[in-house]
Amino acid sequence: MHTAIDERALSKLRWRCRRGLLELDIILQRFMDRHYAELDEQGLAQFERLLALPDNDLWELISKRQVTADENMQQVLTLLQKS
């Protein structure tokens, strides 16, 4: 588990989860509510990398229309797909 994140940083992260696709907004907010606090350092890095993707690319991965060759993102991607 990671160290406690301050409220301002958490608020900024939640803002970054607001996307142009409503489906992504819903899934990312559910993920934040259910799984974010349990992520280790590797999971946090994976989540950051996924958030850096364009909306359509991220949606394609979450909806399993596309697969990633990057195994380093799979842990968090699997949690997102369940959200």
Side-chain angles (χ1 to χ4, degrees), residues 9 13 39 42 44 49-50 61 79:
L13 183 60
L39 295 179
Q42 181 182 2
L44 292 172
R49 289 180 44 221
L50 286 165
L61 291 172
L79 291 174

Side-chain angles (χ1 to χ4, degrees), residues 18-66:
R18 295 186 54 156
R19 307 301 281 247
L21 296 172
L22 178 60
E23 295 88 348
L24 281 179
D25 282 353
I26 293 168
I27 288 171
L28 291 172
Q29 290 305 316
R30 283 183 189 162
F31 175 85
M32 290 292 297
D33 293 342
R34 296 177 183 168
H35 304 291
Y36 183 79
E38 300 167 2
L39 295 179
D40 58 14
E41 292 300 320
Q42 181 182 2
L44 292 172
Q46 289 176 22
F47 188 54
E48 287 291 330
R49 289 180 44 221
L50 286 165
L51 284 181
L53 294 173
D55 286 358
N56 290 331
D57 293 345
L58 181 55
W59 177 247
E60 292 294 310
L61 291 172
I62 291 172
S63 64
K64 298 182 183 178
R65 293 183 184 149
Q66 191 176 62

Side-chain angles (χ1 to χ4, degrees), residues 9-21:
L10 188 58
S11 177
K12 285 182 179 184
L13 183 60
R14 285 191 180 276
W15 183 255
R16 286 185 57 208
C17 289
R18 295 186 54 156
R19 307 301 281 247
L21 296 172

